[in-house]
Amino acid sequence: MRLGALVLQKEPWVQARDTWRQVERAGFDIGYVADHLTHSTVAGQWWADGWTTLAAAAEATSTLGIGTLVGSAAIRGPAFIARVAATLQDISGGRFVLGLGAGTAPDVLVDRGEVVGAEVLAERYREVVLAIRALWAGETMWRGQHVAVAGVAP
């Protein structure tokens, strides 16, 4: 069995770096970030980008796995997720784990000013997963009802 810790990115990196190192020293197998543009537990407070935080955490640690809990298909496109996941896998020396979820309606509202329901979030999530798998398989184009990518270089 493996043990993970959610390290919410609610501190500037100078402090967060120490937290990531403490998680590694404590013997956790993996440290996760949340992929939200807003989060109810830190309303009005510092909230760093999770993907960027993971790149820094990969450099600040040597054995700790890093991952998203979870990456948001509501506010991230498949080309972005596929590319950033591959980059984090490279930076971390193979320690990255991609956790992916449908995302939340409040994040969509913040990101695009749109109100969406659970059905649309679920449909988009399914398409994002299919598109990511296609991109990782070497495809350069993919089209669904809610998601499309074209001309993505491998």
Side-chain angles (χ1 to χ4, degrees):
M1 185 175 300
R2 296 180 54 171
L3 184 60
L6 178 59
V7 185
L8 290 178
Q9 58 274 17
K10 59 184 184 174
E11 302 173 313
W13 181 246
V14 173
Q15 290 88 25
R17 178 181 47 232
D18 293 336
T19 301
W20 281 91
R21 289 177 176 160
Q22 288 170 0
V23 167
E24 183 174 49
R25 281 193 304 271
F28 284 89
D29 298 300
I30 189 165
Y32 295 104
V33 297
D35 184 27
H36 293 283
L37 297 177
T38 182
H39 198 277
S40 60
T41 63
V42 292
Q45 300 175 38
W46 172 265
W47 188 251
D49 174 67
W51 299 95
T52 307
T53 298
L54 286 175
E59 285 296 306
T61 60
S62 60
T63 61
L64 183 70
I66 59 168
T68 50
L69 187 66
V70 293
S72 175
I75 58 172
R76 311 290 181 199
F80 170 85
I81 295 169
R83 177 73 42 86
V84 76
T87 302
L88 286 167
Q89 183 72 343
D90 176 54
I91 291 170
S92 69
R95 296 180 287 139
F96 178 69
V97 174
L98 175 62
L100 191 60
T104 66
D107 272 343
V108 173
L109 185 60
V110 169
D111 185 48
R112 298 189 296 277
E114 297 175 11
V115 176
V116 297
E119 184 177 312
V120 170
L121 287 173
E123 290 169 2
R124 178 179 167 82
Y125 174 56
R126 183 179 81 58
E127 290 183 9
V128 166
V129 170
L130 292 172
I132 289 170
R133 288 182 184 262
L135 292 172
W136 283 345
E139 298 293 324
T140 60
M141 297 179 63
W142 193 92
R143 178 169 300 284
Q145 181 179 350
H146 302 280
V147 172
V149 293
V152 177

